[in-house]
Amino acid sequence: ILNVEQSPQSLHVQEGDSTNFTCSFPSSNFYALHWYRWETAKSPEALFVMTLNGDEKKKGRISATLNTKEGYSYLYIKGSQPEDSATYLCAFWTGNQFYFGTGTSLTVIP
Amino acid sequence: DSGVTQTPKHLITATGQRVTLRCSPRSGDLSVYWYQQSLDQGLQFLIHYYNGEERAKGNILERFSAQQFPDLHSELNLSSLELGDSALYFCASSVWGLTDTQYFGPGTRLTVL
């Protein structure tokens, strides 16, 4: 079983703050990294799928970067809003197995 | 609404029983994935089917099996149920494979008493 680690485990920020969190994964056997946004009592919602070293993706105020050589991805949220409050989950695909991190729980305080 | 449907929404059954969970992917998606989310563990990948064929297997117990039918819907069969099988079971679909965006269904909540 591979270890996919996310930090921090939880985060409280003020509305308007920018924030970022980390997903760390083994640098070998990399195939793809997925980021999800998961609100309580809902299903995970895909944010990004990243496959290439150096990949940068953006969706509105949320962006992500990928470093496959050192085994990490960053997710950034610019100008956090209360509706950004959710758990952000990353998942690492090795080619034949899919491993999830335990998530970063973000609370944006109005 | 992701376009992925799962039935039933809730299922309550007894230990030792067998249940079938159903998933219909988004129109045009060839891949279906099954995941389990139990209280003490995070989201776990169970199995991936592409166009009717099994493509990847995760931590799926031998008591569990799945298949994807010619119309691309999928079923997850859970047998000899134990209390620990109580969980939320998600299905997701994507156009091709695991480098594509996955769209999750609403989940089936299974309670084993």
Side-chain angles (χ1 to χ4, degrees), chain A residues 2 43-44 50 52 69 73 83 87 92:
Chain A
L2 295 177
S43 307
M50 309 182 82
L52 299 174
K69 291 182 180 174
S73 175
E83 58 265 30
T87 294
F92 170 68

Side-chain angles (χ1 to χ4, degrees), chain A residues 1 31-32 34 36 38 42-46 48-49 51 89 93 95-102, chain B residues 35 37 43-45 48 55-59 88 90 97-107:
Chain A
I1 295 179
Y31 208 85
H34 294 239
Y36 295 94
W38 196 356
K42 293 190 177 180
S43 307
E45 175 197 346
F48 307 113
V49 181
T51 55
L89 202 61
W93 169 233
N96 60 12
Q97 278 281 8
F98 204 36
Y99 297 97
F100 285 87
T102 50
Chain B
Y35 298 96
Q37 192 213 358
L43 202 52
Q44 294 219 341
F45 167 64
H48 167 217
R55 284 299 176 97
K57 214 166 186 174
N59 297 321
L88 189 52
F90 286 109
L98 271 147
T99 56
D100 292 324
T101 299
Q102 291 188 30
Y103 297 88
F104 277 71

Side-chain angles (χ1 to χ4, degrees), chain B residues 36-101:
Chain B
Q36 180 192 55
Q37 192 213 358
S38 47
L39 275 174
D40 56 346
Q41 296 191 29
L43 202 52
Q44 294 219 341
F45 167 64
L46 296 179
I47 200 160
H48 167 217
Y49 276 85
Y50 172 77
N51 205 21
E53 290 187 14
E54 182 185 306
R55 284 299 176 97
K57 214 166 186 174
N59 297 321
I60 188 165
L61 299 171
E62 282 189 21
R63 300 183 285 108
F64 296 1
S65 65
Q67 50 184 327
Q68 186 180 26
F69 295 86
D71 67 352
L72 301 176
H73 92 271
S74 177
E75 292 180 358
L76 179 68
N77 300 295
L78 315 176
S79 61
S80 303
L81 284 167
E82 301 175 1
L83 295 177
D85 298 327
S86 296
L88 189 52
Y89 292 85
F90 286 109
C91 159
S93 73
S94 70
V95 176
W96 298 106
L98 271 147
T99 56
D100 292 324
T101 299

